[in-house]
Amino acid sequence: MKKVLILVFTEIFLFSFGQKKMNSVEYKNSAEVFTIKGLSQSTSIDCGNSKMILLSGQVPLDAAGNLVGNDVEKQTQQVFKNIESILKEYGATGKDIVKLGIFITDISRTPDFRKIRDLYINLQNPPVSSLVEVSRLFRDDVLIEVEATAVIKNK
């Protein structure tokens, strides 16, 4: 019985200290990226030695909400410009991206997407990705949307 009590108290002790390693969740927006009222552009999760940054799906709208580009290549440039602007709020860049979720209306345009994506990511260790062809995004003139997850070391 004594061994069971020691084990239980040890687990409680370790559990209570383990919970303190994940301190907080923080939400941020960038003034350089169009913001829809009631939605967050990103959130970060403090994971102790590092921080995980989760970005909402980014579309090719400028800070004023205007569509940028009428093809996948130009729209992808704006999408990654938005991603970079948001990551900058955390002291991160596209090189810190570990996961991408890509939604594209014409999968045959994937090479156009990758041409631009490769300018922003770490090509030595590219992020894991999911690519999904969709029939439509939130507007008919939007051809691509990209979600990103980045990880940086805490300072």
Side-chain angles (χ1 to χ4, degrees):
M1 183 65 170
K2 185 176 179 182
K3 287 182 181 181
V4 171
L5 285 175
I6 291 172
L7 181 61
V8 168
F9 285 120
T10 301
E11 288 297 319
I12 291 170
F13 178 79
L14 291 175
F15 180 76
S16 66
F17 279 103
Q19 292 301 305
K20 291 181 182 177
K21 291 189 182 194
M22 288 190 63
N23 296 329
S24 63
V25 174
E26 180 179 27
Y27 295 87
K28 287 189 179 184
N29 290 329
S30 168
E32 298 176 30
V33 179
F34 182 70
T35 301
I36 298 171
K37 188 176 179 175
L39 299 177
S40 296
Q41 294 172 347
S42 66
T43 185
S44 70
I45 303 167
D46 186 343
C47 299
N49 293 331
S50 61
K51 183 180 293 190
M52 184 184 325
I53 305 161
L54 305 152
L55 276 67
S56 62
Q58 295 302 305
V59 293
L61 301 180
D62 64 15
N66 300 311
L67 180 72
V68 176
N70 57 4
D71 62 34
V72 168
E73 191 171 325
K74 287 183 182 95
Q75 288 193 8
T76 300
Q77 287 173 338
Q78 183 62 42
V79 164
F80 274 96
K81 182 180 175 187
N82 293 348
I83 289 171
E84 285 282 332
S85 294
I86 296 167
L87 290 175
K88 188 169 104 178
E89 295 291 321
Y90 297 96
T93 71
K95 306 293 186 200
D96 298 306
I97 295 172
V98 296
K99 169 84 170 91
L100 289 172
I102 303 108
F103 306 92
I104 192 166
T105 58
D106 181 356
I107 206 158
S108 73
R109 305 280 29 125
T110 301
D112 298 331
F113 163 77
R114 290 188 69 173
K115 177 180 170 185
I116 303 304
R117 178 209 65 171
D118 289 354
L119 300 173
Y120 291 90
I121 64 165
N122 177 348
L123 290 174
Q124 297 300 317
N125 295 299
V128 297
S129 300
S130 299
L131 174 67
V132 179
E133 183 177 41
V134 295
S135 62
R136 185 174 188 269
L137 290 163
F138 83 105
R139 283 176 30 180
D140 289 332
D141 53 357
V142 172
L143 307 174
I144 189 159
E145 181 172 338
V146 179
E147 296 176 336
T149 301
V151 175
I152 59 172
K153 290 183 180 179
N154 273 335
K155 297 175 182 169

